[in-house]
Amino acid sequence: MERFAEKLETDAAMKVWSVHDFCQRYRLCEEEERRLTSLFGMFATARELLNNAQRTPKWR
């Protein structure tokens, strides 16, 4: 059972995203999309994007 959990965790982290789609899904600004595109190109893994995305806080 433990191997199954490890495989699921690894598969989700290794999913390849389009940087543009990722930014739309997480509502990142165009400047952040340009920054991520310059870092990774047009595609990157979910782990890379989630670890490197910066989102400005939205105060009430």
Side-chain angles (χ1 to χ4, degrees):
M1 186 70 165
E2 191 173 313
R3 286 185 178 199
F4 181 71
E6 289 175 7
K7 182 173 176 13
L8 284 177
E9 191 174 295
T10 305
D11 289 348
M14 296 304 293
K15 181 180 177 189
V16 176
W17 280 77
S18 159
V19 173
H20 177 73
D21 292 343
F22 175 84
C23 291
Q24 283 185 331
R25 181 179 177 114
Y26 288 95
R27 298 180 186 166
L28 300 175
C29 65
E30 290 179 17
E31 182 179 326
E32 183 63 14
E33 183 177 345
R34 281 192 296 271
R35 189 181 76 79
L36 290 171
T37 303
S38 70
L39 278 173
F40 303 114
M42 299 301 290
F43 298 94
T45 63
R47 178 174 287 168
E48 291 172 327
L49 291 167
L50 289 169
N51 287 334
N52 288 287
Q54 297 174 355
R55 192 168 185 186
T56 56
K58 300 202 185 248
W59 304 101
R60 291 183 176 189

